[in-house]
Amino acid sequence: MPKGLIVYFSQGGTTARVAEAIAAGMRATEWQSTSCNMNDKQPPGLDGYDLLGIGTPTYYYHAPFKVMDYVNSLPPLKGLPTFVFVLHGTYIGDTGNDIRRLLSRKGARAAGYFHSYGADFYLPYLKEGYLFSPDHPTAEELTKAERFGREAAGRIGRQDYTGAKRDPPPAAIYRLERFLTNRQLANHIYSRLFRVDDKKCTSCGLCIEQCPTGNIVEGKKGSPTFGRKCLLCLNCEMLCPEEAIISPASWPLFRPFMIYNVRHASRDPSIEHVRVKHSQGRTQRL
Ligand SMILES: Cc1cc2nc3c(=O)[nH]c(=O)nc-3n(C[C@H](O)[C@H](O)[C@H](O)COP(=O)(O)O)c2cc1C
Ligand code: SF4
Ligand code: SF4
């Protein structure tokens, strides 16, 4: 029985749900399929696998650094069939393009590309009162993901698949935002500038537990200390029940982008949204 490996990164669970739907589609064509969320454990090596699927959310119009690091760490792929799937709350940008380009450079053979909307818990939007793409992926999107899994598995061994078209490049304003959230700035500048209000922090440990890169450790006084491997996912700030963390995402520098993005996406009829209130680590629909 041929074996497929699906490696993905998921914080909010939407990429995980699509991964499971794709895996179910593959199993329906008598493939064996193993899934691994790199947020929970180290992905296994590729030995013995006939297909590799890579799944990711979109962060700032590209893939999170952690996903790019995984793809970069892969050995030469020597024609291994690979597919890519991407979740996005608003605009996908270059997320799929970057991963597919890198896989192609590693010698992979394209076996498919899938993308879907996913509920967008990007903190600055929540604070502004907007949750984009709530309730996504929908049942219909999951059915499409399952079909995609069946089709991708069915393509293995066929040489006539030339690959899906690239996504259009993001508009200039998104490219600028992407530049401002690049890895060098994140690691060397923003990482140093997360602040914790010691008067509010109760040392509950939630931010430490929920950081996907282990970037937060307990400091001398019990309050968290930040390292240099931040993804700017803002999970720590979003979940803190005491609102004790203030990240650089709250800086005035990012405010014009946030206002533009919220206005643009909330007026785009192809993107759903609901109004919400985010406080003390919880998001409630209004
Ligand atoms: C820090 C952060 C940045 C994001 N940036 C984008 C973006 O640039 N474009 C977009 O369409 N969605 C963006 N999103 C939304 C996620 O890509 C989307 O909600 C995805 O479904 C989350 O996947 P998960 O639930 O598996 O974590 C962002 C979300 C977060 C947390
Ligand atoms: S989640 Fe908030 S209150 Fe809990 S340790 Fe982190 S900063 Fe402190
Ligand atoms: S934003 Fe917070 S939770 Fe996310 S990687 Fe950085 S330190 Fe960790």
Side-chain angles (χ1 to χ4, degrees), residues 58-91:
T58 299
Y59 279 7
Y60 309 101
Y61 313 102
H62 51 96
F65 309 137
K66 190 162 171 153
V67 176
M68 291 310 277
D69 286 347
Y70 170 71
V71 181
N72 265 314
S73 75
L74 291 171
L77 294 173
K78 299 177 184 160
L80 182 76
T82 55
F83 63 74
V84 172
F85 57 102
V86 177
L87 275 284
H88 55 107
T90 56
Y91 303 107

Side-chain angles (χ1 to χ4, degrees), residues 9 11 59-60 186 191 194 206-216 225-239 245 247-248:
F9 173 69
Q11 291 242 80
Y59 279 7
Y60 309 101
S191 289
F194 276 70
L206 189 64
C207 53
I208 297 174
E209 197 184 294
Q210 294 296 323
C211 173
T213 59
N215 190 45
I216 313 176
T225 301
F226 293 79
R228 300 283 176 267
K229 44 185 181 177
C230 180
L231 302 180
L232 296 180
C233 72
L234 310 181
N235 217 25
C236 48
E237 188 181 1
M238 181 175 79
L239 295 175
I245 300 177
S247 76

Side-chain angles (χ1 to χ4, degrees), residues 33-52:
S33 166
T34 306
S35 304
C36 170
N37 185 352
M38 60 178 88
N39 208 8
D40 301 333
K41 56 180 186 237
Q42 184 72 18
L46 300 181
D47 280 355
Y49 289 105
D50 306 291
L51 170 69
L52 172 66

Side-chain angles (χ1 to χ4, degrees), residues 238-253:
M238 181 175 79
L239 295 175
C240 176
E242 310 302 330
E243 300 185 352
I245 300 177
I246 301 141
S247 76
S250 311
W251 290 355
L253 169 71

Side-chain angles (χ1 to χ4, degrees), residues 54 56 128 238 272:
I54 295 178
T56 181
E128 201 63 19
M238 181 175 79
E272 291 167 22

